[in-house]
Amino acid sequence: MSRDIQLKERWENVVTILSNQFAEGEMLDLDAIIYLIGVQELGKVKTTFKKDEKIELMHIAICRLLEPYGYYEFEFFDNDGWPHYKVKEELPPLKAGEQSVLMKDAIVNYFLERALIK
């Protein structure tokens, strides 16, 4: 099976599982899944986040997702328990479609590590 087909199948599996668990079956988009990963990484269940906190949660998720690719490195947790990352290597210029594929691949790998999918 080609890598592209495998990624597509695994991505659809992640979307289905998360959509059923968090959106009553309504299909979540890439941004919503990144947000959920940010909440997971923060480790604090909170019913509402302020707009700036939501943006930070997505940033946390992106840093965590791209850490295995060598772009970010975890530094520390601040006094409020929020993780902080530093840039190790700048992301290369990517077209929108390439960014999407990179993030989907990173998300699939994130959930493979956690045994949500196979």
Side-chain angles (χ1 to χ4, degrees):
M1 179 182 322
S2 82
R3 178 154 163 52
D4 291 344
I5 293 170
Q6 185 179 46
L7 175 60
K8 184 177 187 294
E9 288 176 357
R10 286 177 168 169
W11 171 251
E12 289 172 357
N13 193 12
V14 166
V15 171
T16 299
I17 290 167
L18 295 178
S19 296
N20 288 337
Q21 187 170 353
F22 296 104
E24 299 175 358
E26 185 177 324
M27 289 299 144
L28 295 172
D29 65 9
L30 181 61
D31 287 340
I33 292 171
I34 291 171
Y35 172 77
L36 288 174
I37 292 169
V39 172
Q40 171 69 27
E41 288 300 308
L42 180 60
K44 294 183 180 180
V45 178
K46 192 173 180 181
T47 54
T48 56
F49 289 100
K50 297 176 191 170
K51 183 178 181 180
D52 61 327
E53 290 175 323
K54 289 178 182 178
I55 292 168
E56 278 299 311
L57 286 167
M58 292 181 78
H59 177 72
I60 288 167
I62 290 167
C63 291
R64 171 58 187 89
L65 290 167
L66 296 180
E67 184 180 25
Y69 295 78
Y71 295 112
Y72 294 94
E73 180 176 48
F74 174 77
E75 281 195 298
F76 64 94
F77 288 100
D78 66 20
N79 292 336
D80 295 324
W82 288 70
H84 291 262
Y85 291 81
K86 70 177 180 180
V87 176
K88 281 183 66 179
E89 181 180 331
E90 293 292 330
L91 281 165
L94 298 171
K95 296 176 185 169
E98 294 170 329
Q99 288 177 0
S100 178
V101 170
L102 174 61
M103 292 311 299
K104 287 177 181 180
D105 187 57
I107 290 168
V108 163
N109 288 330
Y110 179 86
F111 286 110
L112 282 169
E113 288 173 11
R114 281 151 185 74
L116 178 71
I117 61 170
K118 295 181 182 186

